[in-house]
Amino acid sequence: MRLRIALRAILGLALLSAAGFGIWIASLPPASADLTPPQVPQAETDALLAALEPPKRARPLVAIVGLNDATETTDYLLPYGILKRADVAEVVSLATAPGPVRLFPALTVQPDATIAAFDAAHPQGADYVIVPAMSRDDDPAVTLWLRDQVGKGAVIIGICAGAKVVAAAGLLSGRRATTHWYYLDALRKIDPTIAPVPDRRMVADGGVVTTTCITASMPMMLTLVEAIAGRARAEAVARELGIARWDARHASGAFALTRPFAATVLATRLAFWNHEKLGIALAPGMDEISLALAADAWSRTYRSKVTTYAASGMVGTRSGIRLIPDRQDADWPRDRRVPAFSDGKPADVLDRTLDAITARYGASTADAVAMQLEYPR
């Protein structure tokens, strides 16, 4: 009797929860706005480039900082890969503690140094510090180190939700800024004095630069290359990457928590029997930009998780990133392998991956991934 009552109570709670989710989803907008990004005045572009001019060295030193337990994949790897290609600065990848950096939602890397080792080698600090999204916005080691770098004259660049890390360090107080569309409210909660700027992929204010989405790291790094070495060098790197333009234009209204997005994510997460592990083979000299984009996108479907595999224990990429495979194995089931598309232009990889996701899981899942990446398709 008691078991029957308990089962009925559980069923009732499940039905109430389902009804609540249904009401919440129904309350969301049916679709995001299909907007054309507004033009950015030339004076604003010039001001952004001026804000990014090298503050100390003729050949600047760029530090990309991360937490060992969780740092966003694309935020961490794309700046490294693009700046290394450009060869206009010294670039180092850092972690708060010794050992690997586990990136999310996929990949593991061995950083170049810890922040303590960096400080010992470079007591004058970096010229630029790039701050990816991290599992904790207010990690004490990161907060103190960022404040110290600002005191030494570094320009801080918060990529995507890395803006929250920058805000938690108190570096955005009273400043204009932007971040990933999903975290705008969270940014305001960290510091209500922050003034969010819509329709811009990049915003500079007082030695601190922030960007919108994960995919904004490409135009952000090309803008940094232009500020350091001039337009011609940035254009050459852009051609190599396959990017036609990299200005600050952005249509913020096109990205929001919509009914189709929420319904797709909820339905996909509940259908746990359809979830699968997909394998990406790691190979020496592979392009880390292409790898990061492919692994990031496949791991945001809510149906698949990327596992990397290689015959050896550590694999070096084109630009010197040291990848640690999830499995030391030379093979993976053929029907669950996905490519990193290293055979083409890195800027094309996301579109190619989204096409592959559409073919495997459907257009709604690919659209949900693009929304998470704040990627205009």
Short mmCIF file of all heavy atoms in Angstrom, two decimals, residues 85-139:
data_model
loop_
_atom_site.label_atom_id
_atom_site.label_comp_id
_atom_site.label_asym_id
_atom_site.label_seq_id
_atom_site.Cartn_x
_atom_site.Cartn_y
_atom_site.Cartn_z
N ARG A 85 50.47 31.31 -35.81
CA ARG A 85 50.52 31.41 -37.27
C ARG A 85 51.00 32.79 -37.70
O ARG A 85 51.79 32.93 -38.63
CB ARG A 85 49.13 31.18 -37.87
CG ARG A 85 48.69 29.75 -37.97
CD ARG A 85 47.23 29.71 -38.42
NE ARG A 85 46.71 28.36 -38.48
CZ ARG A 85 46.59 27.64 -39.59
NH1 ARG A 85 46.95 28.14 -40.74
NH2 ARG A 85 46.09 26.42 -39.55
N ALA A 86 50.47 33.80 -37.03
CA ALA A 86 50.81 35.18 -37.40
C ALA A 86 52.27 35.51 -37.14
O ALA A 86 52.86 36.35 -37.83
CB ALA A 86 49.90 36.15 -36.64
N ASP A 87 52.86 34.89 -36.11
CA ASP A 87 54.26 35.10 -35.76
C ASP A 87 54.57 36.58 -35.52
O ASP A 87 55.57 37.11 -36.01
CB ASP A 87 55.18 34.54 -36.86
CG ASP A 87 56.64 34.45 -36.40
OD1 ASP A 87 56.87 34.37 -35.18
OD2 ASP A 87 57.53 34.50 -37.26
N VAL A 88 53.69 37.23 -34.76
CA VAL A 88 53.90 38.64 -34.43
C VAL A 88 54.13 38.84 -32.95
O VAL A 88 54.31 39.98 -32.49
CB VAL A 88 52.68 39.48 -34.88
CG1 VAL A 88 52.51 39.42 -36.39
CG2 VAL A 88 51.39 39.06 -34.16
N ALA A 89 54.11 37.75 -32.17
CA ALA A 89 54.26 37.86 -30.73
C ALA A 89 54.78 36.54 -30.17
O ALA A 89 54.69 35.49 -30.82
CB ALA A 89 52.91 38.19 -30.09
N GLU A 90 55.33 36.61 -28.97
CA GLU A 90 55.65 35.40 -28.22
C GLU A 90 54.39 34.96 -27.49
O GLU A 90 53.73 35.78 -26.82
CB GLU A 90 56.78 35.65 -27.22
CG GLU A 90 58.07 36.13 -27.86
CD GLU A 90 58.61 35.14 -28.88
OE1 GLU A 90 58.54 33.93 -28.62
OE2 GLU A 90 59.09 35.58 -29.95
N VAL A 91 54.01 33.70 -27.61
CA VAL A 91 52.75 33.21 -27.06
C VAL A 91 53.02 32.04 -26.13
O VAL A 91 53.73 31.09 -26.50
CB VAL A 91 51.79 32.75 -28.18
CG1 VAL A 91 50.41 32.42 -27.60
CG2 VAL A 91 51.67 33.82 -29.25
N VAL A 92 52.45 32.10 -24.92
CA VAL A 92 52.60 31.01 -23.96
C VAL A 92 51.24 30.62 -23.41
O VAL A 92 50.39 31.49 -23.13
CB VAL A 92 53.56 31.37 -22.80
CG1 VAL A 92 54.98 31.52 -23.31
CG2 VAL A 92 53.12 32.65 -22.10
N SER A 93 51.03 29.33 -23.26
CA SER A 93 49.81 28.83 -22.63
C SER A 93 50.13 28.52 -21.17
O SER A 93 51.14 27.88 -20.87
CB SER A 93 49.30 27.60 -23.35
OG SER A 93 50.27 26.57 -23.35
N LEU A 94 49.26 28.97 -20.27
CA LEU A 94 49.52 28.86 -18.84
C LEU A 94 48.39 28.13 -18.12
O LEU A 94 47.26 28.06 -18.61
CB LEU A 94 49.67 30.25 -18.21
CG LEU A 94 50.74 31.17 -18.79
CD1 LEU A 94 50.71 32.52 -18.07
CD2 LEU A 94 52.12 30.53 -18.69
N ALA A 95 48.73 27.60 -16.95
CA ALA A 95 47.74 27.03 -16.04
C ALA A 95 48.05 27.51 -14.63
O ALA A 95 49.17 27.94 -14.33
CB ALA A 95 47.78 25.51 -16.10
N THR A 96 47.06 27.44 -13.77
CA THR A 96 47.26 27.92 -12.41
C THR A 96 48.11 26.98 -11.58
O THR A 96 48.71 27.39 -10.59
CB THR A 96 45.90 28.11 -11.71
OG1 THR A 96 45.12 26.91 -11.87
CG2 THR A 96 45.13 29.27 -12.32
N ALA A 97 48.18 25.71 -11.98
CA ALA A 97 48.93 24.72 -11.21
C ALA A 97 49.65 23.77 -12.17
O ALA A 97 49.32 23.70 -13.35
CB ALA A 97 47.99 23.94 -10.29
N PRO A 98 50.62 23.02 -11.68
CA PRO A 98 51.30 22.05 -12.55
C PRO A 98 50.32 20.99 -13.07
O PRO A 98 49.31 20.69 -12.43
CB PRO A 98 52.35 21.42 -11.62
CG PRO A 98 52.56 22.42 -10.53
CD PRO A 98 51.22 23.08 -10.33
N GLY A 99 50.65 20.44 -14.23
CA GLY A 99 49.84 19.37 -14.79
C GLY A 99 49.01 19.83 -15.97
O GLY A 99 49.04 21.00 -16.36
N PRO A 100 48.26 18.91 -16.56
CA PRO A 100 47.48 19.21 -17.76
C PRO A 100 46.33 20.18 -17.49
O PRO A 100 45.91 20.37 -16.34
CB PRO A 100 46.93 17.83 -18.18
CG PRO A 100 47.72 16.83 -17.42
CD PRO A 100 48.17 17.49 -16.16
N VAL A 101 45.83 20.77 -18.56
CA VAL A 101 44.60 21.56 -18.53
C VAL A 101 43.52 20.74 -19.22
O VAL A 101 43.64 20.41 -20.40
CB VAL A 101 44.78 22.92 -19.24
CG1 VAL A 101 43.44 23.65 -19.36
CG2 VAL A 101 45.78 23.78 -18.49
N ARG A 102 42.49 20.39 -18.46
CA ARG A 102 41.36 19.67 -19.05
C ARG A 102 40.40 20.72 -19.62
O ARG A 102 39.85 21.53 -18.89
CB ARG A 102 40.66 18.82 -17.98
CG ARG A 102 39.52 17.98 -18.56
CD ARG A 102 39.08 16.92 -17.58
NE ARG A 102 40.13 15.95 -17.33
CZ ARG A 102 40.40 14.92 -18.12
NH1 ARG A 102 39.71 14.74 -19.24
NH2 ARG A 102 41.35 14.07 -17.83
N LEU A 103 40.27 20.69 -20.91
CA LEU A 103 39.42 21.66 -21.59
C LEU A 103 37.98 21.14 -21.65
O LEU A 103 37.74 19.93 -21.63
CB LEU A 103 39.94 21.92 -23.01
CG LEU A 103 41.39 22.43 -23.09
CD1 LEU A 103 41.85 22.51 -24.54
CD2 LEU A 103 41.52 23.79 -22.41
N PHE A 104 37.03 22.07 -21.67
CA PHE A 104 35.64 21.65 -21.83
C PHE A 104 35.05 22.36 -23.04
O PHE A 104 35.38 23.49 -23.31
CB PHE A 104 34.82 21.93 -20.55
CG PHE A 104 34.57 23.40 -20.26
CD1 PHE A 104 33.51 24.09 -20.85
CD2 PHE A 104 35.38 24.10 -19.37
CE1 PHE A 104 33.28 25.43 -20.58
CE2 PHE A 104 35.15 25.44 -19.09
CZ PHE A 104 34.10 26.11 -19.69
N PRO A 105 34.24 21.65 -23.81
CA PRO A 105 33.69 20.33 -23.56
C PRO A 105 34.55 19.17 -24.05
O PRO A 105 34.11 18.03 -23.98
CB PRO A 105 32.37 20.37 -24.34
CG PRO A 105 32.66 21.25 -25.51
CD PRO A 105 33.59 22.31 -25.00
N ALA A 106 35.77 19.42 -24.54
CA ALA A 106 36.59 18.32 -25.07
C ALA A 106 38.05 18.72 -25.08
O ALA A 106 38.38 19.91 -25.05
CB ALA A 106 36.14 17.95 -26.49
N LEU A 107 38.92 17.73 -25.13
CA LEU A 107 40.38 17.82 -25.28
C LEU A 107 41.09 18.08 -23.94
O LEU A 107 40.52 18.70 -23.02
CB LEU A 107 40.79 18.90 -26.29
CG LEU A 107 40.17 18.82 -27.67
CD1 LEU A 107 40.72 19.95 -28.55
CD2 LEU A 107 40.41 17.47 -28.33
N THR A 108 42.33 17.63 -23.89
CA THR A 108 43.22 17.87 -22.76
C THR A 108 44.58 18.25 -23.32
O THR A 108 45.06 17.63 -24.27
CB THR A 108 43.35 16.62 -21.87
OG1 THR A 108 42.06 16.24 -21.39
CG2 THR A 108 44.26 16.89 -20.67
N VAL A 109 45.21 19.28 -22.73
CA VAL A 109 46.50 19.75 -23.22
C VAL A 109 47.48 19.94 -22.07
O VAL A 109 47.07 20.12 -20.91
CB VAL A 109 46.37 21.09 -23.99
CG1 VAL A 109 45.43 20.95 -25.18
CG2 VAL A 109 45.90 22.21 -23.07
N GLN A 110 48.75 19.90 -22.41
CA GLN A 110 49.80 20.21 -21.46
C GLN A 110 50.23 21.66 -21.71
O GLN A 110 50.75 21.98 -22.78
CB GLN A 110 50.99 19.28 -21.63
CG GLN A 110 52.12 19.52 -20.64
CD GLN A 110 51.71 19.22 -19.21
OE1 GLN A 110 51.03 18.24 -18.95
NE2 GLN A 110 52.12 20.06 -18.28
N PRO A 111 50.02 22.57 -20.76
CA PRO A 111 50.38 23.98 -20.99
C PRO A 111 51.89 24.17 -21.00
O PRO A 111 52.65 23.29 -20.60
CB PRO A 111 49.73 24.70 -19.79
CG PRO A 111 49.70 23.66 -18.71
CD PRO A 111 49.45 22.34 -19.42
N ASP A 112 52.28 25.35 -21.45
CA ASP A 112 53.71 25.66 -21.50
C ASP A 112 54.31 25.87 -20.12
O ASP A 112 55.49 25.55 -19.89
CB ASP A 112 53.94 26.92 -22.35
CG ASP A 112 53.58 26.73 -23.80
OD1 ASP A 112 53.79 25.62 -24.32
OD2 ASP A 112 53.06 27.68 -24.42
N ALA A 113 53.52 26.44 -19.20
CA ALA A 113 54.06 26.77 -17.88
C ALA A 113 52.92 27.05 -16.90
O ALA A 113 51.75 27.19 -17.31
CB ALA A 113 54.97 28.00 -17.97
N THR A 114 53.25 27.15 -15.66
CA THR A 114 52.31 27.62 -14.65
C THR A 114 52.41 29.14 -14.55
O THR A 114 53.39 29.75 -15.03
CB THR A 114 52.61 27.02 -13.27
OG1 THR A 114 53.92 27.47 -12.85
CG2 THR A 114 52.58 25.51 -13.31
N ILE A 115 51.44 29.77 -13.92
CA ILE A 115 51.51 31.22 -13.75
C ILE A 115 52.69 31.60 -12.86
O ILE A 115 53.31 32.66 -13.07
CB ILE A 115 50.19 31.81 -13.21
CG1 ILE A 115 49.78 31.14 -11.90
CG2 ILE A 115 49.09 31.69 -14.24
CD1 ILE A 115 48.54 31.76 -11.27
N ALA A 116 53.05 30.74 -11.90
CA ALA A 116 54.20 31.02 -11.03
C ALA A 116 55.49 31.00 -11.83
O ALA A 116 56.36 31.88 -11.67
CB ALA A 116 54.24 30.01 -9.89
N ALA A 117 55.64 30.01 -12.70
CA ALA A 117 56.84 29.93 -13.54
C ALA A 117 56.90 31.10 -14.51
O ALA A 117 57.99 31.64 -14.78
CB ALA A 117 56.86 28.60 -14.29
N PHE A 118 55.75 31.49 -15.04
CA PHE A 118 55.70 32.64 -15.94
C PHE A 118 56.16 33.90 -15.21
O PHE A 118 56.95 34.70 -15.75
CB PHE A 118 54.29 32.83 -16.47
CG PHE A 118 54.12 34.03 -17.36
CD1 PHE A 118 54.39 33.95 -18.72
CD2 PHE A 118 53.70 35.26 -16.84
CE1 PHE A 118 54.25 35.07 -19.54
CE2 PHE A 118 53.55 36.37 -17.65
CZ PHE A 118 53.83 36.27 -19.00
N ASP A 119 55.68 34.11 -14.01
CA ASP A 119 56.06 35.30 -13.24
C ASP A 119 57.56 35.32 -12.95
O ASP A 119 58.19 36.39 -13.00
CB ASP A 119 55.28 35.34 -11.91
CG ASP A 119 53.82 35.67 -12.11
OD1 ASP A 119 53.45 36.16 -13.19
OD2 ASP A 119 53.02 35.42 -11.18
N ALA A 120 58.12 34.16 -12.68
CA ALA A 120 59.55 34.10 -12.40
C ALA A 120 60.37 34.42 -13.65
O ALA A 120 61.40 35.10 -13.58
CB ALA A 120 59.92 32.71 -11.88
N ALA A 121 59.88 33.97 -14.81
CA ALA A 121 60.60 34.20 -16.06
C ALA A 121 60.36 35.59 -16.62
O ALA A 121 61.22 36.14 -17.33
CB ALA A 121 60.19 33.15 -17.09
N HIS A 122 59.20 36.19 -16.30
CA HIS A 122 58.81 37.49 -16.87
C HIS A 122 58.29 38.40 -15.77
O HIS A 122 57.09 38.67 -15.67
CB HIS A 122 57.75 37.30 -17.96
CG HIS A 122 58.13 36.34 -19.03
ND1 HIS A 122 59.02 36.66 -20.03
CD2 HIS A 122 57.74 35.06 -19.25
CE1 HIS A 122 59.17 35.61 -20.83
NE2 HIS A 122 58.40 34.63 -20.38
N PRO A 123 59.18 38.91 -14.92
CA PRO A 123 58.73 39.75 -13.79
C PRO A 123 58.05 41.03 -14.22
O PRO A 123 57.29 41.62 -13.44
CB PRO A 123 60.04 40.03 -13.03
CG PRO A 123 61.14 39.79 -14.02
CD PRO A 123 60.64 38.71 -14.92
N GLN A 124 58.28 41.48 -15.47
CA GLN A 124 57.60 42.69 -15.95
C GLN A 124 56.19 42.40 -16.43
O GLN A 124 55.45 43.33 -16.77
CB GLN A 124 58.41 43.33 -17.08
CG GLN A 124 59.75 43.88 -16.63
CD GLN A 124 60.51 44.54 -17.77
OE1 GLN A 124 60.26 44.26 -18.95
NE2 GLN A 124 61.44 45.42 -17.43
N GLY A 125 55.82 41.13 -16.49
CA GLY A 125 54.47 40.76 -16.88
C GLY A 125 54.29 40.66 -18.39
O GLY A 125 55.18 40.94 -19.18
N ALA A 126 53.11 40.25 -18.77
CA ALA A 126 52.77 40.10 -20.19
C ALA A 126 52.33 41.42 -20.79
O ALA A 126 51.97 42.36 -20.07
CB ALA A 126 51.65 39.06 -20.34
N ASP A 127 52.35 41.49 -22.11
CA ASP A 127 51.74 42.63 -22.81
C ASP A 127 50.23 42.43 -22.92
O ASP A 127 49.46 43.38 -22.78
CB ASP A 127 52.34 42.77 -24.21
CG ASP A 127 53.78 43.23 -24.16
OD1 ASP A 127 54.67 42.37 -23.99
OD2 ASP A 127 54.02 44.44 -24.29
N TYR A 128 49.85 41.18 -23.19
CA TYR A 128 48.43 40.84 -23.30
C TYR A 128 48.17 39.57 -22.51
O TYR A 128 48.97 38.62 -22.56
CB TYR A 128 48.03 40.58 -24.76
CG TYR A 128 48.34 41.71 -25.72
CD1 TYR A 128 49.52 41.70 -26.46
CD2 TYR A 128 47.47 42.78 -25.89
CE1 TYR A 128 49.83 42.72 -27.34
CE2 TYR A 128 47.76 43.81 -26.78
CZ TYR A 128 48.94 43.77 -27.50
OH TYR A 128 49.24 44.79 -28.38
N VAL A 129 47.04 39.54 -21.82
CA VAL A 129 46.59 38.32 -21.14
C VAL A 129 45.23 37.95 -21.71
O VAL A 129 44.29 38.76 -21.68
CB VAL A 129 46.49 38.52 -19.62
CG1 VAL A 129 45.86 37.28 -18.98
CG2 VAL A 129 47.85 38.80 -19.02
N ILE A 130 45.13 36.75 -22.26
CA ILE A 130 43.88 36.27 -22.83
C ILE A 130 43.20 35.36 -21.80
O ILE A 130 43.82 34.43 -21.27
CB ILE A 130 44.13 35.52 -24.15
CG1 ILE A 130 44.69 36.53 -25.17
CG2 ILE A 130 42.85 34.88 -24.67
CD1 ILE A 130 45.15 35.91 -26.46
N VAL A 131 41.93 35.66 -21.53
CA VAL A 131 41.19 34.99 -20.46
C VAL A 131 40.02 34.21 -21.06
O VAL A 131 39.02 34.80 -21.47
CB VAL A 131 40.67 36.00 -19.42
CG1 VAL A 131 40.03 35.26 -18.26
CG2 VAL A 131 41.79 36.91 -18.93
N PRO A 132 40.12 32.89 -21.15
CA PRO A 132 39.00 32.09 -21.65
C PRO A 132 37.92 31.92 -20.58
O PRO A 132 38.10 32.31 -19.41
CB PRO A 132 39.67 30.73 -21.94
CG PRO A 132 41.14 30.95 -21.81
CD PRO A 132 41.31 32.10 -20.89
N ALA A 133 36.80 31.31 -20.99
CA ALA A 133 35.80 30.89 -20.02
C ALA A 133 36.39 29.77 -19.17
O ALA A 133 37.15 28.93 -19.66
CB ALA A 133 34.54 30.41 -20.73
N MET A 134 36.03 29.75 -17.89
CA MET A 134 36.55 28.75 -16.96
C MET A 134 35.40 28.19 -16.13
O MET A 134 34.31 28.74 -16.08
CB MET A 134 37.62 29.37 -16.06
CG MET A 134 38.79 29.98 -16.80
SD MET A 134 40.00 30.71 -15.68
CE MET A 134 41.03 31.63 -16.85
N SER A 135 35.69 27.09 -15.43
CA SER A 135 34.65 26.46 -14.62
C SER A 135 34.28 27.30 -13.41
O SER A 135 33.18 27.18 -12.88
CB SER A 135 35.13 25.08 -14.14
OG SER A 135 36.34 25.20 -13.41
N ARG A 136 35.19 28.16 -12.97
CA ARG A 136 34.91 29.07 -11.86
C ARG A 136 35.29 30.48 -12.29
O ARG A 136 36.38 30.70 -12.80
CB ARG A 136 35.72 28.68 -10.62
CG ARG A 136 35.37 27.32 -10.06
CD ARG A 136 36.17 27.00 -8.81
NE ARG A 136 37.61 26.99 -9.05
CZ ARG A 136 38.27 25.99 -9.63
NH1 ARG A 136 37.63 24.92 -10.05
NH2 ARG A 136 39.58 26.05 -9.78
N ASP A 137 34.38 31.41 -12.05
CA ASP A 137 34.66 32.80 -12.42
C ASP A 137 35.60 33.48 -11.44
O ASP A 137 36.31 34.42 -11.80
CB ASP A 137 33.35 33.60 -12.50
CG ASP A 137 32.40 33.05 -13.54
OD1 ASP A 137 32.87 32.51 -14.55
OD2 ASP A 137 31.18 33.16 -13.34
N ASP A 138 35.58 33.04 -10.18
CA ASP A 138 36.30 33.76 -9.13
C ASP A 138 37.38 32.92 -8.48
O ASP A 138 37.59 32.98 -7.26
CB ASP A 138 35.31 34.25 -8.06
CG ASP A 138 34.50 33.11 -7.45
OD1 ASP A 138 34.60 31.97 -7.95
OD2 ASP A 138 33.77 33.36 -6.47
N ASP A 139 38.07 32.11 -9.27
CA ASP A 139 39.18 31.34 -8.72
C ASP A 139 40.21 32.31 -8.14
O ASP A 139 40.67 33.23 -8.83
CB ASP A 139 39.82 30.50 -9.82
CG ASP A 139 40.99 29.69 -9.29
OD1 ASP A 139 40.75 28.63 -8.70
OD2 ASP A 139 42.15 30.14 -9.47
#
